Amino acid sequence: MASSIDREADVVVVGGGIAGLITARELSRTGLSVIVLEARDRLGGRVFTDRRLGRDLEIGGNWLHWVQPHAWAEVTRYGLGVTRGPRPEEAYWLAGDQLRRGTLEEFMRLIDPGMRRLLADTMRFIPRPDAPTAAPELAEADRYSVQEKLDELQLSVEEYHANEAAWVGHFNAPLTDGAFSSALRWTAATAGSWHLMHEASAVFRLAEGTQALVAAIAADTAADIRTGAEVRRIEHQPDGARVHLADGQTVAAGRVVLTLPMNILGDLDVSPPLNEGKLAASREKTASRGTKVWIRVRGPIRPFFAYSRGAEPLSVVRTEYIGDDDAVLVGFGADSTRLDVTDRDAVQRALAVWRDDLEVLEVTGHDWMSDPYSRETWLMNRPGQVTRYLAAQQAPEGVLHFAGSDIANLWAGFIDGAIETGLRAAREITGALRTAHFRTAAPVGTST
């Protein structure tokens, strides 16, 4: 195996997203030689800032908050500016087939009773969000979907559709597929406050885009970062691993860190195979299969927020940028197959659920579900997955270690979760190498 040839690096990191870059930064600072292999022609993974519609748009991951400790530490480390979109002056929502119009505050008051009832036992199920599966009570809650728990509340039609749309926006998935435990985990991370959870997941963003964070981390590592380097096969033994690339190259290393999203990890050819928990989770897939679309409309308009229901192509739309003669909106839907984010007319029809007075000029987005290097949006588990698989997903396997927002403890699915797991993987490797060094060191008092 790897010990029979000269190793090219101490550690190979597969994936150049936030988790991989954090891992590489931390390990290279200890003096280890690190190679990062990223299949795409850019870094960032599901974090992707691109110049479109006349603005720098977050095509992938977007928002962060000071209650996300790992992300905020990086914001502070690199002196990154934080901003937010315009405050909504109007809100739209549905009551059955009737359109309601008011303020965002009125909408939040509408959903507050249902949110409080749904999440009342959050801190009993997850008293420590940094150890999400520690309480045995979680196993019972993890059996249910959000849809099942929402139906139990027997809300009025208006309250039901409003709460449903809010959760579809969070889950980026049909609520029949989304685990109730995912709603609990997000809310536990904000000490049980659904208001703070909502703010932490959908308001504040980096002033220069998430790509500024990616660039800062990449510039702060001595690792050899290679893009366009798709990994096809990994062979590993107790003393090292070989990483085989699509172009025929092979890289040998003492340790390997895999940061692939849950939905594609099981597709990688690994020998010996990964544990069954990792493979089963990958076969089942995450719940999230939705869409994110950016929409430029003719202006001027007043900034607004709109919620519909899970059955619509777009469940949530909000204003993110206001110009003199245009505005840019961001929208989310539960199922990416219901809306082509490059079809202006289709998006125009989807907006008409609330606003038939808006003229759509341009649209853009990225089909993350069809992207071969993701096959998912952000993590939202299916019922039972957290209690069945999370420990196995996080566990090292010999010289293989694992990172990525999908397997975070605290803010899974967020930038914060990617940072958390990158730090954890780096700590595991340095600890393992330190232990190995002590075991092979000569006993005190003996000659060498």
Side-chain angles (χ1 to χ4, degrees), residues 139 141-144 179 181 284 381-389:
D142 199 25
R143 295 170 48 203
Y144 297 97
S181 61
E284 289 181 14
N381 288 115
R382 296 177 183 273
Q385 287 182 336
V386 171
T387 47
R388 286 201 306 268
Y389 303 136

Side-chain angles (χ1 to χ4, degrees), residues 38-248:
E38 168 55 50
R40 295 182 174 92
D41 60 1
R42 61 170 182 83
L43 298 175
R46 284 174 285 173
V47 166
F48 178 23
T49 310
D50 202 21
R51 186 72 179 175
R52 304 185 191 183
L53 310 187
R55 274 86 170 178
D56 291 329
L57 302 180
E58 300 298 348
I59 307 303
N62 197 345
W63 294 287
L64 45 68
H65 197 276
W66 47 88
V67 298
Q68 296 166 352
H70 306 94
W72 206 254
E74 299 298 320
V75 167
T76 304
R77 179 196 295 262
Y78 296 117
L80 302 175
V82 175
T83 187
R84 59 167 296 159
R87 294 181 183 275
E89 298 177 14
E90 300 174 330
Y92 300 81
W93 63 92
L94 300 180
D97 294 327
Q98 299 297 311
L99 178 64
R100 298 282 194 261
R101 177 175 174 176
T103 66
L104 184 58
E105 290 72 23
E106 289 172 327
F107 178 84
M108 299 291 267
R109 285 197 295 272
L110 173 66
I111 65 175
D112 183 69
M115 286 286 183
R116 288 179 181 274
R117 290 172 59 196
L118 183 74
L119 302 167
D121 291 328
T122 292
M123 302 314 293
R124 178 170 68 88
F125 291 126
I126 308 180
R128 284 283 301 270
D130 60 324
T133 61
E137 291 87 348
L138 182 66
E140 172 63 22
D142 199 25
R143 295 170 48 203
Y144 297 97
S145 70
V146 175
Q147 187 79 61
E148 290 171 315
K149 301 304 288 186
L150 195 59
D151 289 346
E152 287 179 4
L153 303 181
Q154 297 184 324
L155 301 173
S156 70
V157 171
E158 185 171 12
E159 285 184 284
Y160 184 88
H161 283 162
N163 277 274
E164 177 193 34
W167 282 112
V168 168
H170 288 316
F171 270 71
N172 211 222
L175 297 188
T176 52
D177 295 342
F180 180 48
S181 61
S182 289
L184 294 171
R185 291 180 71 187
W186 279 30
T187 312
T190 53
S193 168
W194 81 262
H195 284 276
L196 182 53
M197 178 272 288
H198 183 85
E199 179 182 278
S201 61
V203 177
F204 296 95
R205 50 182 162 82
L206 294 178
E208 297 181 8
T210 52
Q211 210 60 35
L213 176 60
V214 173
I217 301 169
D220 200 19
T221 175
D224 176 4
I225 299 175
R226 306 175 186 178
T227 56
E230 180 180 350
V231 172
R232 290 284 180 83
R233 176 174 170 79
I234 295 176
E235 300 168 291
H236 64 104
Q237 289 184 353
D239 58 353
R242 282 194 178 96
V243 180
H244 300 271
L245 279 66
D247 63 5

Side-chain angles (χ1 to χ4, degrees), residues 39 85 92 140 172 195 208 263-264 266 268 273 285 292 308 319 327 334 362 396:
Y92 300 81
E140 172 63 22
N172 211 222
H195 284 276
E208 297 181 8
N263 280 10
I264 64 170
L268 183 64
K285 311 301 182 190
K292 178 181 184 180
S308 62
T319 309
E362 298 177 273

Side-chain angles (χ1 to χ4, degrees), residues 355-376:
R355 302 286 302 265
D356 59 6
D357 59 326
L358 297 176
E359 180 185 355
V360 176
L361 303 175
E362 298 177 273
V363 296
T364 192
H366 182 76
D367 187 354
W368 292 101
M369 295 304 298
S370 296
D371 186 323
Y373 305 125
S374 62
R375 303 284 188 193
E376 61 178 86

